[in-house]
Amino acid sequence: MSQTVDLIRTLKLQSRVFHDFGSPFYGGLMAHIAADVEADGAAVPLFAPWAGADMRRLVADAVPLRIMGALHARVLTGEDRALAAVFPEPGRPADPDAAWPAVREAFVRGREAIVEFMAHEPQTNEVRRSACLLPGFLTVAQATGLPLRCFELGASAGLNQNWDRFSYRLGEAVWGDPASPVFIDTDWQGGRPPLPEVTVLSRAACDRRPVDLNDDAERLRLIAYLWPDQFERLDRARAAIALAQARGTTVETADAAAWTARVAAPARGAATVVYHSVFWQYVPPEGQAALRAAIEGHGASATADAPFAWLSMEPDPADFARLQLRLTMWPGGEERVLADVHAHGQWVKWRG
Ligand SMILES: C[S@@+](CC[C@H](N)C(=O)[O-])C[C@H]1O[C@@H](n2cnc3c(N)ncnc32)[C@H](O)[C@@H]1O
């Protein structure tokens, strides 16, 4: 019984997160699912693989995201038309209360497919985080006056490797290719960031379990994990996927520590930047130590004509709920907090 209590608490917590992060449809639907589990309803069998799991494991496994992703996938594949009819669409208001009876029926009708979807570890790639990383890249380019060699860790599908090929509006400032199919605006607070032109000499990325954009099922899963009432976010992700496919963007299957040590040593005539977003927390402590050693080792070998930078968009170690953009540049090696940032890139508070 206490295990079900943990599941219900986790679902209710996620309902608030959906509301806070701008998905009222999912927020309302998740509240219905929590109530359904409380009443021993149709959703309960879908959580069978987590029977006995405490809240910590339910959150770590992102179980609430899995069930929503599974529903969204049923809509995207066209396999459940009754469900699609109550899901949000541009121009059609999303009403979670009106949708709930159809969702409950979808749990019964699509049980096998939903359980199958939920067995996979969620994999997301948030394109708007490029708006948070961008001022870090600009700071490195401005400070060094050199082209950049970019290495992304935990890149998922690798969409943010194309950060310099997007078009940005950072409050009043604009940067990037105005003709880009990927447009990102963010609520920029604070002074202007440096806005130099940047040349990216090379780009590479790793992930221990990359999303293969050329695999239809994996691409669909990536989209399914987006929230269906966030139309702009969906459009942006689709445009970034198309751009990545057109550019042949790839992600190597590798552990970040070994990969960084192997490929990201500083090189003369360019600024080498190792960067990551919302990745560090997924690396166990011994992996974090190995990665830090690899990065600091490269930093120690950096010179004025072969500088090295570590750029990260990660939770503040002192307060996990706050995300920060941090930059360390070598020679020197002093860490700076450049900005406080929203987890999905909705705002940037620039400290620059
Ligand atoms: C929450 S996702 C973030 C993806 C992307 N950076 C973004 O901001 O959209 C975290 C990613 O880190 C990857 N990851 C976790 N541990 C890793 C490791 N030791 N080496 C490489 N990738 C890892 C996961 O597979 C996952 O794709």
Side-chain angles (χ1 to χ4, degrees), residues 3-350:
Q3 288 128 14
T4 314
V5 169
D6 271 19
L7 176 59
I8 294 162
R9 280 178 58 208
T10 307
L11 297 173
K12 286 183 175 169
L13 176 73
Q14 184 65 46
S15 167
R16 282 202 299 278
V17 172
F18 281 139
H19 277 296
D20 290 350
F21 276 76
S23 179
F25 181 71
Y26 266 8
L29 214 51
M30 195 89 257
H32 279 292
I33 296 173
D36 180 81
V37 172
E38 223 159 0
D40 203 14
V44 172
L46 307 172
F47 297 109
W50 289 274
D54 61 8
M55 199 166 168
R56 200 189 169 96
R57 186 172 153 223
L58 292 161
V59 170
D61 283 1
V63 174
L65 297 186
R66 291 185 193 222
I67 193 165
M68 300 318 242
L71 284 173
H72 196 190
R74 302 275 296 153
V75 170
L76 293 169
T77 54
E79 280 165 359
D80 193 327
R81 289 183 184 198
L83 187 62
V86 298
F87 253 56
E89 264 182 17
R92 190 175 68 198
D95 181 347
D97 299 331
W100 170 241
V103 172
R104 196 179 45 212
E105 283 164 26
F107 285 154
V108 179
R109 201 169 40 237
R111 180 167 162 183
E112 220 172 283
I114 293 172
V115 166
E116 208 276 319
F117 185 100
M118 289 177 71
H120 295 264
E121 198 183 330
Q123 188 65 304
T124 57
N125 199 181
E126 201 57 56
V127 180
R128 211 184 196 180
R129 287 185 187 140
S130 278
C132 305
L133 293 164
L134 173 70
F137 291 118
L138 296 176
T139 302
V140 176
Q142 177 95 341
T144 62
L146 291 170
L148 307 184
R149 297 165 69 232
C150 298
F151 296 91
E152 184 176 7
L153 313 181
S156 183
L159 302 180
N160 290 333
Q161 274 185 91
N162 289 318
W163 62 270
D164 58 314
R165 294 170 170 150
F166 302 160
S167 163
Y168 298 88
R169 181 177 292 281
L170 313 172
E172 298 295 303
V174 293
W175 192 89
D177 172 7
S180 173
V182 181
F183 171 67
I184 306 183
D185 65 341
T186 190
D187 177 9
W188 184 270
Q189 298 162 40
R192 268 181 172 239
L195 296 164
E197 282 191 16
V198 179
T199 303
V200 174
L201 271 189
S202 64
R203 64 196 82 221
C206 78
D207 197 289
R208 67 178 160 83
R209 205 172 57 80
V211 174
D212 178 359
L213 291 176
N214 294 318
D215 179 305
D216 292 349
E218 290 201 24
R219 217 171 45 245
L220 180 114
R221 294 178 63 78
L222 193 66
I223 293 289
Y225 273 115
L226 298 177
W227 306 345
D229 48 350
Q230 298 192 329
F231 306 121
E232 209 186 289
R233 193 174 166 213
L234 279 160
D235 286 348
R236 193 183 296 116
R238 288 191 170 109
I241 288 171
L243 179 66
Q245 287 179 305
R247 292 292 191 149
T249 303
T250 56
V251 179
E252 259 186 70
T253 305
D255 173 70
W259 187 79
T260 301
R262 181 163 55 83
V263 304
R268 205 168 272 154
T272 300
V273 186
V274 166
Y275 69 100
H276 49 87
S277 58
V278 193
F279 144 82
W280 192 258
Q281 73 211 71
Y282 299 100
V283 183
E286 61 281 9
Q288 289 182 359
L291 183 50
R292 187 179 286 280
I295 289 173
E296 290 178 353
H298 289 326
S301 67
T303 59
D305 63 350
F308 184 81
W310 180 12
L311 178 65
S312 73
M313 174 192 169
E314 299 289 347
D316 175 358
D319 177 358
F320 213 68
R322 288 168 28 140
L323 271 84
Q324 293 181 327
L325 182 72
R326 290 173 177 247
L327 176 66
T328 309
M329 288 177 66
W330 287 269
E334 191 192 326
E335 186 183 55
R336 278 190 290 162
V337 177
L338 293 182
D340 300 291
V341 295
H342 181 270
H344 288 173
Q346 274 170 29
W347 49 257
V348 174
K349 292 181 187 163
W350 180 243

